[in-house]
Amino acid sequence: MTRLREEDIAGIEARLVRHDAELRRQTGAGLRDIALCAASAPRRFARQLQDRPVAVLPVTTGQGIIGGFSESVRGILAFLGMDAFVTQRPDVAGLVEAVESGAGQVFLADDDTCTMLDFASHATVENSAATGRGFAAALALAAGDLRGRTVTVLGAGIVGRSAAAYLRDCGADLVLYDTDETRTAPFSHRPHFAVARSLREALDASNLYFEATTARGTIDVSDMDEETLVAAPGIPLGVTDAALARYGAHIIHDPLELGVAAMACELQVAAAGVLFDENKKIG
Ligand code: PYL
């Protein structure tokens, strides 16, 4: 998990309406509907997103608070229609404040773990896996029917693996590439999965890319054309500046929004104890 910096998330709240509109242009669905797809929940479930407030709890341990992080998370949750607030105090005192304020759910992150949890059901969700599914849902919506199509997943960490599992559920065949071969080896004999031996081989296998490495600019302008779609979660951006300048409309990217939205929707589904699967389609 790459640690975000203050400058990575500056202005997220102010950009949410614009980002939502951009996602609609790219995928046909806005932030909340993409997140509901990631959680395999039909759209009518959005009405029940939550009935108690969500506390966002600043955490000072390790490298400490990232300026604007809690406020950005609160803004994203509020954009989804949730009643969210940032506790005035951090850490344990903040947890006490959350409970005393009647919060039903808490969002908190340290340097290693970013989670959202539900007091009543004991359900928890984790950022990396939810981010993988959130961006995979966006890519699937943008691409249309994925059955029989190949998607290349660059980076087989938690984000890449959870995206690959989601995309496989949508019917895609997967080509995985990671510089650490121990991460891709478990997939080498799995039906509908192939492991590329080089970045070039992986990029040549498809024009649908899921970029989940921690490297900057893995995908260049020469790897893309008008048919190419890229889902690139996180920071640093996995496409070059030249690719972004020419094919920005084909690149689904944000530092935090889709991951937090997917976490929130997955938590509501988990907390309600219901399992939806409508072929990853919006209901
Ligand atoms: C959750 C994000 C998504 C990408 N990288 C993850 C990250 O930056 N994690 C660190 C979060 C630390 C938050 C800090 C605070 O402000 O409360 N403890």
Side-chain angles (χ1 to χ4, degrees):
M1 181 169 70
T2 307
R3 182 181 161 89
L4 295 168
R5 297 161 307 166
E6 192 169 337
E7 56 266 38
D8 296 328
I9 54 177
I12 277 188
E13 270 195 89
R15 281 198 311 271
L16 276 167
V17 171
R18 233 182 317 144
H19 185 47
D20 189 65
E22 174 70 358
L23 287 172
R24 283 178 201 280
R25 271 194 297 278
Q26 291 177 310
T27 72
L31 184 64
R32 185 164 74 163
D33 286 341
I34 296 170
L36 287 166
C37 279
S40 300
R43 189 155 40 187
R44 62 180 177 280
F45 193 71
R47 284 196 292 272
Q48 309 152 357
L49 261 184
Q50 55 106 50
D51 51 8
R52 302 187 69 172
V54 182
V56 183
L57 191 67
V59 174
T60 65
T61 56
Q63 294 183 61
I65 286 175
I66 300 171
F69 180 80
S70 295
E71 293 72 17
S72 299
V73 171
R74 189 213 65 79
I76 296 163
L77 297 176
F79 188 79
L80 299 176
M82 305 178 91
D83 177 9
F85 67 98
V86 179
T87 59
Q88 287 180 356
R89 290 166 295 171
D91 306 328
V92 176
L95 186 58
V96 173
E97 186 185 326
V99 172
E100 287 178 352
S101 307
Q105 299 182 343
V106 171
F107 186 111
L108 71 173
D110 66 12
D111 297 342
D112 304 313
T113 306
C114 175
T115 188
M116 187 167 169
L117 50 90
D118 180 78
F119 290 132
S121 66
H122 302 178
T124 67
V125 290
E126 187 272 328
N127 175 263
S128 297
T131 298
R133 287 187 286 270
F135 277 83
L139 183 64
L141 286 164
D145 191 353
L146 279 179
R147 282 173 298 183
R149 296 188 68 185
T150 299
V151 182
T152 289
V153 177
L154 304 173
I158 297 172
V159 176
R161 290 200 308 270
S162 79
Y166 183 95
L167 294 164
R168 177 64 212 126
D169 280 353
C170 295
D173 293 321
L174 280 307
V175 170
L176 303 188
Y177 175 71
D178 197 299
T179 50
D180 179 352
E181 291 178 7
T182 62
R183 287 176 158 186
T184 48
F187 295 90
S188 57
H189 298 296
R190 226 186 255 188
H192 301 285
F193 286 83
V195 175
R197 281 157 302 181
S198 67
L199 177 59
R200 185 72 270 145
E201 186 184 326
L203 290 168
D204 287 346
S206 164
N207 60 3
L208 298 174
Y209 299 139
F210 194 99
E211 212 292 340
T213 75
T214 51
R216 181 184 301 278
T218 311
I219 301 169
D220 201 357
V221 66
S222 57
D223 302 313
M224 297 185 67
D225 60 28
E226 289 303 327
E227 306 299 313
T228 308
L229 292 172
V230 182
I235 300 281
L237 179 59
V239 301
T240 61
D241 289 346
L244 186 63
R246 173 119 177 239
Y247 295 112
H250 299 233
I251 298 164
I252 301 163
H253 169 73
D254 67 44
L256 192 62
E257 297 90 318
L258 267 170
V260 168
M263 287 171 77
C265 289
E266 289 183 1
L267 185 65
Q268 310 322 309
V269 170
V274 287
L275 197 59
F276 296 111
D277 188 353
E278 297 187 351
N279 283 333
K280 314 293 180 203
K281 290 201 178 70
I282 296 172

